[in-house]
Amino acid sequence: METKDKMMSMLTMDKGENEEERDKGREEVRGAEEGTQQENGRLMLADGLADRGPKSLTSGSGQQVSNGFTTSSPQSPREGPGTAACAVGATTGPGGGTGSLAPLGGLRTLVVQQTSLERPRETWSKKMDFLLSVIGYAVDLGNVWRFPYICYQNGGGAFLLPYLLMAVFGGVPLFYMELALGQFHRSGCISIWKHICPIFKGIGFAICIIALYIAFYYNTIMAWALYYLISSFQPTLPWTTCTNSWNTANCNRYMSSDHNVSWSNSSTSPAEEFYTRQVLQVHLSPGLHQLGSVSWQLALCLLFIFTIVYFSIWKGVKTSGKVVWVTATFPYLVLVVLLVRGATLPGAWRGVVFYLKPDWEKLLSTTVWIDAAAQIFFSLGPGFGVLLAFASYNPFHNNCYKDALVTSSVNCLTSFLSGFVIFTVLGYMAEMRQQSVDAVAKDAGPSLLFIIYAEAIANMPAATFFAIIFFLMIIMLGLDSTFAGLEGVITAMLDEFPHVLSKRREWFVFGLVCVCYLGALSTLTYGGAFVVKLFEEYATGPAVITVVLLEVIAVSWFYGTNRFCNDVQVMLGFAPGCFWRVCWVAICPCFLLFIIISFLAFPPEVRLFHYQYPPWTTVLGYCIGVSSFICVPAYMVYHLLNAKGTFKQRLLKSITPEPSSDNHRDFIVTNAV
């Protein structure tokens, strides 16, 4: 009451106050505005601010936003610890909220609303740091090997039609939704659910487990690339000759100058033997039932990779945002260099024609649409907690809508560009071997890079130079995605357990990296390539698609599309249109359900080299996938059992977003003109 009386007395001050007091008021306002950059809070001049800012949420004042606060302008209704909000003519209500009070006598009153003196949430140093981080996360190794292979396999240029349709109606709306959620609620993938739909909090834990599984095998591919990079610093590349200790009698040296070589079905190239017998040493393992020993060379390579990862992310987005200026831009430079070089090779046109020649009849096949949906989903990468984490470090009014369109477009164009880089070289290989492009491009996955492309590079002039920059590109493409994946886990855990981990980030990151390294040891064995393939097919794909399906349902159906669109309008000044609403409510769930049903109806036939995965490995793969997804129903049961009241009350509470706990606020009222 005392605070309220003071405020009323200030609001009813005589208009005819002297000029000195007016100047003093102006200085106080100016000083308050300059203080907005300080760590102890953020100020908002509300009376009349909406006229200068973005479009107001509604024509009236005091619009209620979804996280329980009242705002009269599109200013952040909820900031992290250490921020302060300020509303002109605002008074504290009985419950600690805010209510509007019309200014009297044409005066404006500045109210500083202090929430906490804790350190505010970290933000990106520059907008470009965020964009490069998102682009580096979305553009990964799959853009280089998976998209070109799937494109030519599913009708060449005709595949671009289902790919673009799936991107527009499925991938980009999911991408936009996650950026908006992370930026508005400023939380990681675990703690964000208490502000959306608390009973779905298990989704966050499932995402963290999936991210760990990815870290177990994804970084191993970079370790292989690092082994190739080290081996490239030689006058003669080791995968060009058949006189090495790992070569067999079937090795045939297929160089551009060797026209008398006879190639049979049992023949193997020196590049293939280097990859399988020297790098992977897969011939020493009979299969998943007997993996063999750990390769010490790969163990050291992976240790070096994780060392780079640790010192890039240990301090947060301030450091990783600087590293991506190199790791996210260098691959584009290399892609352009390789594209120019590939286009000048003899036979390059054969590869381009094979890549883009449309086969419209294949569009009648369900498999083409399944592959298009899966490719765009895994390429953009919603559901891994990364977009939520990255967006949570953005300024509240950052235009995430524009960011979503720009970064997703860059990702799709990069995939398309990579196809030319790969197939110009494959056309050259076909010309050199006097085979069809189809016969040369039969291998998908890492084999396309480490065997076919490595062999093609070895046949080029200045082979050592091109080998070095190519494998550097592979490493940097992988590093960006690793930074992002682990940052998603780190942000989630720090936001969920801030009192325990916020001041121990470096130690937590160190422990997380150690866990990832130990978990990856099985992929460094002689049979490690079999483990990588198993994780890639079963541990992440089906689980993450199911998790994202639940995420879309929770946001669109439980949290509510109208409430979510209001949140976006508070941030950006405009609400998403009907297209986005329809996508989030209906099209995206159908898009994800289509992929899940297709995977269950047509399970992949897992095969690597000459090893056919036995049936028990399928059961093992599904068990690994379910081990992450089980967090969702397990947390639902836990949440309902621990809630108070009748079952109906518990259920209603479990689907009701929780308001912020910062109910106590101190007001500092300053008179201003």
Side-chain angles (χ1 to χ4, degrees), residues 66-245:
S66 62
N67 53 5
F69 291 95
T70 305
T71 181
S72 58
S73 73
Q75 184 68 22
S76 170
R78 176 181 177 271
E79 292 289 349
T83 61
C86 176
V88 175
T91 60
T92 52
T98 59
S100 62
L101 180 65
L104 302 177
L107 294 178
R108 299 174 184 175
T109 302
L110 178 67
V111 181
V112 181
Q113 189 177 24
Q114 184 70 40
T115 59
S116 174
L117 294 177
E118 296 179 13
R119 187 174 62 179
R121 187 175 186 83
E122 186 179 15
T123 57
W124 298 97
S125 299
K126 297 178 182 178
K127 174 67 175 287
M128 190 57 68
D129 293 358
F130 166 71
L131 292 177
L132 288 176
S133 296
V134 174
I135 290 173
Y137 161 66
V139 178
D140 63 352
L141 297 177
N143 293 73
V144 179
W145 79 56
R146 189 180 291 115
F147 178 83
Y149 177 80
I150 289 179
C151 186
Y152 98 80
Q153 191 181 46
N154 291 289
F159 176 76
L160 298 178
L161 177 61
Y163 179 77
L164 291 176
L165 288 175
M166 291 297 179
V168 170
F169 292 100
V172 178
L174 291 171
F175 197 86
Y176 177 26
M177 184 189 74
E178 286 215 348
L179 287 182
L181 282 173
Q183 184 171 304
F184 183 82
H185 295 287
R186 304 177 71 80
S187 298
C189 62
I190 298 178
S191 57
I192 194 174
W193 288 101
K194 66 183 178 182
H195 305 296
I196 299 175
C197 189
I199 199 171
F200 284 98
K201 192 174 183 178
I203 290 177
F205 292 105
I207 289 174
C208 291
I209 295 175
I210 293 170
L212 286 178
Y213 288 157
I214 294 174
F216 289 167
Y217 77 87
Y218 190 81
N219 297 281
T220 300
I221 300 174
M222 285 187 284
W224 300 344
L226 180 59
Y227 192 102
Y228 269 85
L229 177 64
I230 296 172
S231 302
S232 299
F233 288 94
Q234 301 181 29
T236 302
L237 297 176
W239 57 87
T240 60
T241 61
C242 291
T243 57
N244 304 289
S245 59

Side-chain angles (χ1 to χ4, degrees), residues 326-494:
V326 176
T327 57
T329 56
F330 181 76
Y332 285 96
L333 177 63
V334 176
L335 284 174
V336 172
V337 171
L338 293 176
L339 177 61
V340 173
R341 182 68 189 103
T344 60
L345 293 172
W349 63 272
R350 293 178 59 185
V352 174
V353 170
F354 187 80
Y355 173 47
L356 293 180
K357 184 180 179 181
D359 184 358
W360 299 107
E361 292 183 359
K362 286 200 172 184
L363 295 183
L364 301 176
S365 172
T366 310
T367 306
V368 175
W369 295 86
I370 295 172
D371 287 345
Q375 173 60 27
I376 192 63
F377 175 82
F378 289 110
S379 180
L380 292 177
F384 292 91
V386 174
L387 301 177
L388 290 173
F390 280 172
S392 72
Y393 298 113
N394 274 335
F396 185 79
H397 291 297
N398 173 66
N399 193 341
C400 57
Y401 171 69
K402 182 180 178 181
D403 294 343
L405 296 181
V406 169
T407 52
S408 56
S409 299
V410 169
N411 174 70
C412 295
L413 291 174
T414 303
S415 298
F416 188 61
L417 174 67
S418 300
F420 287 99
V421 174
I422 295 295
F423 275 91
T424 52
V425 172
L426 292 181
Y428 165 65
M429 290 290 293
E431 181 86 5
M432 186 182 65
R433 289 188 177 184
Q434 298 181 353
Q435 293 179 318
S436 66
V437 180
D438 189 22
V440 175
K442 63 182 179 180
D443 291 322
S447 299
L448 184 64
L449 302 180
F450 294 113
I451 297 178
I452 304 299
Y453 209 91
E455 184 177 350
I457 287 176
N459 282 276
M460 296 180 187
T464 298
F465 168 74
F466 285 109
I468 290 172
I469 64 170
F470 176 72
F471 291 112
L472 262 179
M473 179 190 74
I474 297 299
I475 293 171
M476 291 190 179
L477 283 172
L479 282 175
D480 289 332
S481 297
T482 299
F483 297 161
L486 293 183
E487 186 60 54
V489 177
I490 294 164
T491 300
M493 299 304 291
L494 263 62

Side-chain angles (χ1 to χ4, degrees), residues 434-564:
Q434 298 181 353
Q435 293 179 318
S436 66
V437 180
D438 189 22
V440 175
K442 63 182 179 180
D443 291 322
S447 299
L448 184 64
L449 302 180
F450 294 113
I451 297 178
I452 304 299
Y453 209 91
E455 184 177 350
I457 287 176
N459 282 276
M460 296 180 187
T464 298
F465 168 74
F466 285 109
I468 290 172
I469 64 170
F470 176 72
F471 291 112
L472 262 179
M473 179 190 74
I474 297 299
I475 293 171
M476 291 190 179
L477 283 172
L479 282 175
D480 289 332
S481 297
T482 299
F483 297 161
L486 293 183
E487 186 60 54
V489 177
I490 294 164
T491 300
M493 299 304 291
L494 263 62
D495 287 345
E496 181 65 13
F497 308 105
H499 301 295
V500 179
L501 300 176
S502 60
K503 295 182 180 179
R504 303 176 179 87
R505 178 188 170 99
E506 292 86 352
W507 286 106
F508 174 70
V509 174
F510 180 76
L512 179 64
V513 169
C514 289
V515 169
C516 294
Y517 183 79
L518 294 175
L521 288 179
S522 62
T523 65
L524 304 176
T525 58
Y526 299 146
F530 303 137
V531 180
V532 170
K533 185 72 172 177
L534 183 72
F535 271 101
E536 186 180 11
E537 294 290 342
Y538 292 105
T540 57
V544 78
I545 296 173
T546 308
V547 162
V548 177
L549 174 62
L550 292 178
E551 179 182 318
V552 174
I553 291 173
V555 173
S556 301
W557 298 358
F558 288 85
Y559 186 69
T561 306
N562 289 335
R563 182 184 292 180
F564 175 58

Side-chain angles (χ1 to χ4, degrees), residues 5 19 38 71 157 215 248 263 289 293 299 310 347 393 424 439 480 503 582 626 628 639 656:
D5 292 339
E19 193 65 24
Q38 301 300 321
T71 181
T248 65
W263 189 267
H289 61 283
S293 304
Y310 174 72
Y393 298 113
T424 52
D480 289 332
K503 295 182 180 179
V582 172
V626 171
S628 58
H639 188 80
T656 304

